[in-house]
Amino acid sequence: MLNRRNFLTAAVGVAAAGTLAACAKEDGGPSDSSSGGSKAITLGFAQVGSESGWRTANTDSVKSAAKEAGIKLQFSDAQQKPENQISAIRSFIAQKVDVIAFSPVVVKGWDAVLNEAKRANIPVVLTDRSVESDESLFVTLVGSDFTDEGRRAAKILEKVLEKAGHKGKVKIAQLEGTTGAAPAIERAKGFKEVMDAEHKDDWEIVASQTGDFTRAGGKQVMAAFLQSNPDIDVLFAHNDDMGLGAIQAIEAAGKKPGKDILIVTVDGVKDGFIAMSEGKINAIVECNPLLGPQLMEVVKKVQAGETVERWIKTKESDFMQDQAKDALPTRKY
Ligand code: GZL
């Protein structure tokens, strides 16, 4: 996975990819509208699925930005199955698209199909999630720093606990994202970094399990958590949707979400902000899904054989409960 440390070593990848893109044009590959060529760029995009409000907003952003940019989009929905993404990438290769982009469901298992794209001289752009692969196999990652989101979640939890007047030990339940997915791995890692450094003696994760980034998963797992840990003080959910599902389980157990159990989530979708304005979520760490315009800009540069930054990060903020009402009217997703 990309991190600051390997930023420089990956520079080679950019040159290779730039060459790849140039080859695509030299071997009679389709020219693109941005270089005055007659044919529009064709982009093959393999999406994770439609598991959350975040994903829906991300898909809408990619589709509308492609239309805006005059880029022909071949879109596939993998229904959260990596094997479906691999098949989609193979079909994009067979169709000889100009560029392939995808948001890998999980970090492992991509080297073979990415090597096939490389051999076909088709550059690959990662969006949203990264992979544990040979970094010369993709040109760039357009997406957030999930480890930092985990750190931010722990830091904003400190403010939530202070505001709630919580004293002493803190028993935390964690709803993890999809097992093996970069945001799940890295958000947990970032949160634990802060815990280990600053809360070794007072915070404890008493339960942690995947809810697969879905509301149903969050509700089911939270209900089980409450059975075995009735004295949970805090829920850290790796996305709003699992947090919203957990709220249903907390209320079914006769407890008040946002009061009896303090809740911090990641994403910042509209339903998350509504729950926060109702006092049921205490803080949200934003993870911006509106990556479409940045992706299309990168696609045009890569197709034109230009080199691009190895990691194009999205800008995002954090929100406490008392900011929710004012922020809601201007939320874009
Ligand atoms: C994060 C993205 C995650 C969101 C979830 O960039 O991959 O996947 O946090 C979504 O809502 O399911």
Side-chain angles (χ1 to χ4, degrees):
M1 273 176 274
L2 275 178
N3 54 43
R4 287 184 186 81
R5 229 186 4 265
N6 61 24
F7 181 90
L8 292 178
T9 54
V12 174
V14 174
T19 313
L20 275 180
C23 291
K25 290 165 71 61
E26 278 160 19
D27 69 2
S31 59
D32 64 273
S33 55
S34 62
S35 59
S38 56
K39 204 165 172 300
I41 298 172
T42 301
L43 168 66
F45 187 86
Q47 180 59 293
V48 165
S50 49
E51 74 285 356
S52 65
W54 189 99
R55 189 64 54 198
T56 304
N58 180 246
T59 292
D60 293 348
S61 176
V62 168
K63 288 183 174 176
S64 56
K67 199 166 174 199
E68 179 71 24
I71 287 174
K72 191 164 169 289
L73 184 67
Q74 308 282 9
F75 182 90
S76 101
D77 173 336
Q79 293 162 340
Q80 286 194 279
K81 294 185 173 63
E83 59 273 25
N84 290 351
Q85 283 190 311
I86 290 171
S87 309
I89 291 169
R90 285 198 167 120
S91 81
F92 296 149
I93 293 169
Q95 293 169 49
K96 294 189 182 338
V97 300
D98 296 305
V99 183
I100 291 170
F102 75 119
S103 171
V105 176
V106 292
V107 295
K108 294 181 189 301
W110 304 100
D111 279 353
V113 74
L114 294 181
N115 268 302
E116 290 167 31
K118 187 172 182 177
R119 284 197 294 277
N121 282 335
I122 301 176
V124 174
V125 173
L126 298 182
T127 69
D128 169 27
R129 300 182 183 180
S130 193
V131 295
E132 284 176 2
S133 268
D134 168 355
E135 295 196 352
S136 71
L137 294 176
F138 56 90
V139 177
T140 183
L141 164 68
V142 181
S144 304
D145 183 338
F146 301 135
T147 306
D148 200 44
E149 289 172 352
R151 295 189 199 101
R152 287 157 47 198
K155 294 309 284 180
I156 208 163
L157 174 57
E158 291 171 347
K159 290 186 195 165
V160 167
L161 287 163
E162 188 188 355
K163 198 172 171 64
H166 186 99
K167 300 272 181 263
K169 299 284 187 194
V170 183
K171 291 180 184 295
I172 301 167
Q174 178 174 230
L175 281 171
E176 301 167 19
T178 302
T179 303
I185 295 166
E186 294 169 31
R187 284 171 186 163
K189 176 169 165 261
F191 190 88
K192 190 172 180 301
E193 261 178 31
V194 174
M195 264 188 74
D196 292 348
E198 296 164 37
H199 296 286
K200 240 182 173 34
D201 302 330
D202 54 342
W203 292 10
E204 182 192 359
I205 294 183
V206 296
S208 189
Q209 192 180 322
T210 182
D212 209 16
F213 281 132
T214 66
R215 293 193 189 197
K219 180 177 181 180
Q220 188 185 352
V221 174
M222 190 67 201
F225 282 169
L226 289 166
Q227 289 286 326
S228 44
N229 303 275
D231 54 351
I232 289 168
D233 300 307
V234 166
L235 167 65
F236 168 42
H238 289 182
N239 81 332
D240 295 346
D241 282 70
M242 292 191 293
L244 293 164
I247 284 169
Q248 294 172 29
I250 292 168
E251 291 173 330
K255 290 176 180 270
K256 286 194 175 58
K259 291 197 179 14
D260 300 331
I261 296 180
L262 303 171
I263 300 179
V264 173
T265 66
V266 185
D267 276 352
V269 297
K270 197 173 284 297
D271 287 350
F273 268 79
I274 291 170
M276 195 153 66
S277 69
E278 292 166 349
K280 297 182 179 179
I281 289 179
N282 299 87
I284 293 181
V285 169
E286 187 181 42
C287 174
N288 189 342
L290 308 182
L291 308 175
Q294 287 171 302
L295 170 59
M296 299 311 150
E297 202 181 313
V298 165
V299 165
K300 287 193 169 180
K301 282 184 175 176
V302 167
Q303 179 61 8
E306 295 170 32
T307 51
V308 294
E309 271 178 82
R310 231 7 229 165
W311 186 357
I312 298 163
K313 286 191 190 168
T314 37
K315 293 180 181 45
E316 41 206 38
S317 328
D318 304 332
F319 296 86
M320 290 290 285
Q321 195 174 83
D322 56 11
Q323 296 171 279
K325 279 201 175 63
D326 290 347
L328 253 173
T330 55
R331 294 297 299 167
K332 294 195 181 73
Y333 64 94

